[in-house]
Amino acid sequence: MRASVAEAAIEAGVTIINDVSGGRADPNMASVVASARLPWILMHWRPTGEFVHAGGSTHYDDVVREVRDELLTQVDAALAAGVARENLILDPGLGFVKEPDHNWELLQRLSELTALGFPVLIGASRKRFLGSLLAAPDGTVRSPDGREVATAVVSALAATHGAWGVRVHDVQASRDALAVVRAWQRGSAEGRHDG
């Protein structure tokens, strides 16, 4: 989320810039990305003060509409700075200044984000909202290393609902889940042709 870090990473050969501030932490980021002509992931986040995970407002009247509108404001700023439209990727920022229900609603209404015409990245891997979902009967939140199956399911569902990509820790688990989905879809399609 800092232009100086992005510049150093570009010099080192990176091929994509992932900015968790959505372009708001550093006013120089957009010009760096525009000059580099690299894909730029703009993540949604509502920070206050310094860009920290805990900062910001978790109040939303309609989380999907507000995330969409706030991302589009960042898109407009990026385009105005000369970033090519085809280089922009949107990330709804699951787990960043959002309650668990907000994350689930963003996933359930993913089509409203993909309808904007930009690639959408989903980063649900090992997030706390998955740990809360899988909590023990006594309310103990499942630890991050026990959230991989849930992450793989989210990856597969996100792919079937139009996500461009997923950001995960355990790549193989998500690849396996996607292979199952593709086989399932092929089987369904073949079944319709056979009878």
Side-chain angles (χ1 to χ4, degrees):
M1 66 182 179
R2 303 289 180 203
S4 59
V5 174
E7 285 178 317
I10 290 164
E11 285 180 25
V14 302
T15 57
I16 191 166
I17 302 295
N18 182 22
D19 184 353
V20 296
S21 81
R24 295 177 293 159
D26 188 332
N28 296 318
M29 181 67 90
S31 62
V32 167
V33 176
S35 296
R37 297 183 178 150
L38 290 175
W40 186 17
I41 300 169
L42 297 176
M43 190 187 86
H44 177 267
W45 197 1
R46 283 182 172 176
T48 56
E50 283 299 308
F51 281 75
V52 294
H53 183 73
S57 169
T58 61
H59 173 76
Y60 298 91
D61 292 319
D62 179 338
V63 67
V64 178
R65 179 183 53 79
E66 292 171 58
V67 165
R68 182 193 65 215
D69 292 350
E70 291 168 24
L71 281 170
L72 286 175
T73 297
Q74 296 314 116
V75 165
D76 289 344
L79 295 174
V83 177
R85 180 181 177 86
E86 62 271 15
N87 283 341
L88 295 175
I89 300 162
L90 306 183
D91 177 346
L94 300 179
F96 286 85
V97 195
K98 294 173 184 73
E99 299 297 331
D101 286 349
H102 296 143
N103 298 314
W104 291 116
E105 189 165 356
L106 284 160
L107 289 168
Q108 195 272 326
R109 295 169 57 191
L110 180 59
S111 63
E112 294 178 44
L113 299 175
T114 60
L116 296 173
F118 294 93
V120 174
L121 175 74
I122 296 297
S125 187
R126 299 182 182 174
K127 293 279 174 83
R128 185 169 178 83
F129 78 100
L130 296 176
S132 296
L133 174 72
L134 304 171
D138 68 359
T140 303
V141 173
R142 181 153 323 157
S143 66
D145 63 349
R147 302 173 191 169
E148 291 299 350
V149 172
T151 296
V153 172
V154 170
S155 294
L157 289 169
T160 62
H161 287 85
W164 164 83
V166 293
R167 185 173 53 242
V168 297
H169 295 83
D170 183 346
V171 174
Q172 190 61 54
S174 286
R175 287 177 61 101
D176 290 351
L178 290 167
V180 170
V181 167
R182 289 187 189 111
W184 183 301
Q185 291 171 332
R186 280 193 313 272
S188 296
E190 291 167 4
R192 284 195 302 271
H193 293 302
D194 291 341

